[in-house]
Amino acid sequence: MWRGSSAGGSQGAAMEGTGGELGGQGNWGLEDAPGLLARASLPIMPAWPLPLASSALTLLLGALTSLFLWYCYRLGSQDMQALGTGSRAGAVGGRPGGCSEAGRPSPGRSGESGEGPRTEGLMSRRLRAYARRYSWAGMGRVRRAAQGGPSPGGGPGVLGIQRPGLLFLPDLPSAPFVPREAQRHDVELLESSFPAILRDFGAVSWDFSGMTPPPRGWSPPLAPGCYQLLLYQAGRCQPSNCRRCPGAYRALRGLRSFMSANTFGNAGFSVLLPGARLEGRCGPTNARVRCHLGLKIPPGCELVVGGEPQCWAEGHCLLVDDSFLYTVAHNGSPEDGPRVVFIVDLWHPNVAGAERQALDFVFAPDP
């Protein structure tokens, strides 16, 4: 825009120069309108302060983390309190009750001295140690077993005839005799190994007259006329006996459900002489199934479990839940010879893998 050189023009120029960017009172032309409009455009809303947003997000994450840690603490405290209550109950109630002859070992068992922890308090402590190392996941039944355990009176099982002496796992399907299909692989493997196991027994057998001490590897008689030779005793391998019975040991190594790392697990030969009788016995837990492979079964032999009679057959397996009261008898004549079975302790088919791992930890064999 042309401006004159007169005094008025100079005064207008001076006013234009001192007017400022937007508030000046100088003379503007039409060609200056776009620039003025661009300079006059102000933001409607200021940008969000990014440092303030980051601080708010950090505070929110910190609060959520604190709530999660508090929840974990409360959950762990409740678990410890519940298990502590079970431990105190076990200490007050004393040793869990079993069957009428729980103090006497049963055939094919290692005896009460090596079956596992004696008190519920010890089981609870070992279970807490397992949970600290691994997890409580899948431990519902095991935790309830640690809190309650078998009652000292009539037992927790069916009509008082199921009386495990140390561990009762609740909500476990129970029957005196278990179908073969429940452990098909192990049953078929043992039955196919029948000739080799029978040869092993012939190699370690003796006259069982009782006139001389039992030979090496054989345990002292558990009761009159009852002998056993164990390849696994309370979850521990017996190396000398395993070397003398290679066929039986090879079969044990091929089993999928053998309780080989648990104090409830035993395997070996059980011999019952004519006239011998074991009555009113029961096993330490309902978490196992005892497999009997008949080797020599003379007439007059009988097995009654939970009031149901059965009999062995040579070369065939019989699955027994020995947490039920049972009676074993050999009513044959002396000429018939002894009854011989190969006994293996297997996991109950309805005990889950996580529960087996926890029970192996709790009832681990002593070093």
Side-chain angles (χ1 to χ4, degrees):
M1 179 179 179
W2 177 86
R3 296 177 178 84
S5 57
S6 63
S10 300
Q11 183 179 3
M15 291 179 62
E16 180 182 358
T18 59
E21 288 286 328
L22 295 175
Q25 299 178 0
N27 297 323
W28 303 97
L30 292 177
E31 65 274 13
D32 298 322
L36 291 174
L37 291 176
R39 294 180 181 182
S41 60
L42 293 176
I44 298 176
M45 182 177 293
W48 181 261
L50 293 180
L52 180 60
S54 301
S55 301
L57 182 59
T58 302
L59 291 176
L60 179 60
L61 291 177
L64 292 177
T65 303
S66 301
L67 287 175
F68 176 74
L69 294 176
W70 175 82
Y71 171 77
C72 293
Y73 171 77
R74 288 295 303 273
L75 184 62
S77 300
Q78 292 174 1
D79 291 337
M80 297 303 177
Q81 183 178 4
L83 286 175
T85 303
S87 302
R88 290 191 295 271
V92 173
R95 181 176 178 269
C99 59
S100 58
E101 300 187 36
R104 296 167 54 189
S106 61
R109 284 175 54 184
S110 62
E112 294 296 324
S113 59
E115 287 289 355
R118 285 293 186 178
T119 63
E120 298 169 20
L122 179 58
M123 179 180 175
S124 297
R125 289 195 297 271
R126 291 186 177 180
L127 187 58
R128 288 196 296 269
Y130 173 84
R132 286 194 297 268
R133 180 177 298 184
Y134 300 102
S135 170
W136 283 112
M139 294 296 104
R141 291 192 298 193
V142 179
R143 289 170 60 187
R144 280 185 286 163
Q147 294 171 17
S151 62
V158 181
L159 299 178
I161 60 176
Q162 187 183 19
R163 304 179 184 178
L166 288 176
L167 173 69
F168 178 75
L169 204 60
D171 301 331
L172 200 62
S174 298
F177 295 96
V178 180
R180 292 165 47 92
E181 290 73 16
Q183 297 287 3
R184 177 181 296 274
H185 174 271
D186 291 352
V187 165
E188 292 179 351
L189 178 59
L190 287 171
E191 291 180 349
S192 64
S193 303
F194 166 73
I197 297 176
L198 185 60
R199 284 195 302 269
D200 288 343
F201 174 75
V204 298
S205 180
W206 55 299
D207 59 1
F208 302 106
S209 62
M211 305 301 295
T212 59
R216 180 173 59 91
W218 286 89
S219 303
L222 304 173
C226 180
Y227 298 89
Q228 63 180 7
L229 183 143
L230 295 177
L231 279 66
Y232 277 80
Q233 182 175 9
R236 291 192 299 267
C237 178
Q238 308 299 308
S240 59
N241 290 344
C242 290
R243 284 193 294 268
R244 299 169 64 193
C245 304
Y249 178 70
R250 191 178 304 110
L252 291 176
R253 297 293 294 176
L255 299 178
R256 295 177 179 175
S257 301
F258 177 38
M259 303 177 76
S260 59
N262 194 298
T263 54
F264 294 139
N266 305 278
F269 299 99
S270 174
V271 177
L272 198 65
L273 300 183
R277 185 179 183 88
L278 298 168
E279 191 170 4
R281 302 300 182 93
C282 59
T285 179
N286 65 330
R288 78 180 185 187
V289 172
R290 178 153 281 189
C291 180
H292 292 203
L293 173 64
L295 299 181
K296 293 185 177 182
I297 311 299
C301 296
E302 185 180 27
L303 172 65
V304 180
V305 182
E308 299 182 15
Q310 278 283 0
C311 189
W312 303 272
E314 295 181 359
H316 295 277
C317 289
L318 192 63
L319 298 180
V320 179
D321 185 347
D322 69 337
S323 64
F324 288 85
L325 290 173
Y326 66 90
T327 298
V328 181
H330 186 347
N331 301 319
S333 62
E335 292 78 15
D336 294 330
R339 181 234 60 177
V340 183
V341 296
F342 186 71
I343 294 180
V344 184
D345 289 327
L346 307 175
W347 283 104
H348 192 288
N350 292 99
V351 178
E355 295 172 326
R356 297 182 185 186
Q357 182 179 350
L359 292 176
D360 278 344
F361 183 91
V362 173
F363 295 97
D366 295 331

